[in-house]
Amino acid sequence: MEHTTITFEERLLEPQDFARRIGRVAARYPWLVLEENGKTIGYAYASEWKSRSAFRYTVESSIYLHPQAPRRQDCGKVLYGRLLSLLAREGYHKVIAAVTQPNDASMALHHGFGFVTAGYFHEVGYKFHDWIDVAYLELGLEKPSNGVY
């Protein structure tokens, strides 16, 4: 977190602050954790995209993987696939993802699930004394008939 632009957090959150964040988001949206041998190696979640009621069927998704996660790409596919499946079953229509740039691995993961680039914002984040771009991607969800996304 302190050494990457993958997240715009500028300081490591205290465990109780992170737990509060999880509780606030998970009260309404899915928050998934992937563990291996008792260690958290990644998490993915959905959150409110916009607060106006007309946006209630659209969510923003996020995924974070430990840099040394074994089979990192597979971990991302497992987490994101499960998250998208849950969101589709819960009746959400659209998923928005914001990906800091450059981030080829995250872009490949999103494109692999069918996300398309919907916008690109130049220099909207500032971290490590540098301006950072963010790509916005979108995915339309269909409620799966077989329960599997």
Side-chain angles (χ1 to χ4, degrees):
M1 185 170 301
E2 313 81 44
H3 308 292
T4 180
T5 58
I6 290 172
T7 175
F8 280 171
E9 295 287 355
E10 294 187 285
R11 65 174 181 80
L12 190 60
L13 293 176
E14 295 295 325
Q16 64 272 17
D17 295 330
F18 199 72
R20 275 193 290 276
R21 178 179 293 176
I22 292 170
R24 207 172 37 250
V25 171
R28 185 169 169 203
Y29 301 100
W31 187 302
L32 307 176
V33 177
L34 184 62
E35 293 182 349
E36 189 169 87
N37 300 323
K39 293 182 74 173
T40 299
I41 57 174
Y43 60 93
Y45 64 94
S47 59
E48 181 179 68
W49 183 59
K50 296 283 186 186
S51 62
R52 302 265 197 262
S53 65
F55 294 115
R56 68 187 172 277
Y57 296 107
T58 300
V59 295
E60 183 170 351
S61 63
S62 297
I63 182 168
Y64 297 97
L65 297 171
H66 190 280
Q68 281 82 44
R71 303 174 314 279
R72 189 169 177 179
Q73 193 65 3
D74 289 340
C75 293
K77 288 177 185 175
V78 167
L79 271 172
Y80 231 36
R82 180 73 176 130
L83 179 66
L84 295 173
S85 179
L86 286 170
L87 293 171
R89 279 194 301 234
E90 290 179 10
Y92 290 102
H93 176 68
K94 189 74 73 164
V95 180
I96 307 295
V99 180
T100 58
Q101 297 297 303
N103 189 336
D104 293 339
S106 186
M107 293 297 283
L109 177 70
H110 285 85
H111 288 147
F113 278 104
F115 280 81
V116 296
T117 303
Y120 195 95
F121 297 96
H122 300 273
E123 300 182 348
V124 293
Y126 188 78
K127 191 171 179 181
F128 305 133
H129 307 290
D130 201 9
W131 289 103
I132 302 161
D133 298 348
V134 175
Y136 266 70
L137 297 96
E138 66 177 339
L139 175 70
L141 295 175
E142 293 183 27
K143 196 168 191 174
S145 60
N146 63 357
V148 177
Y149 190 82

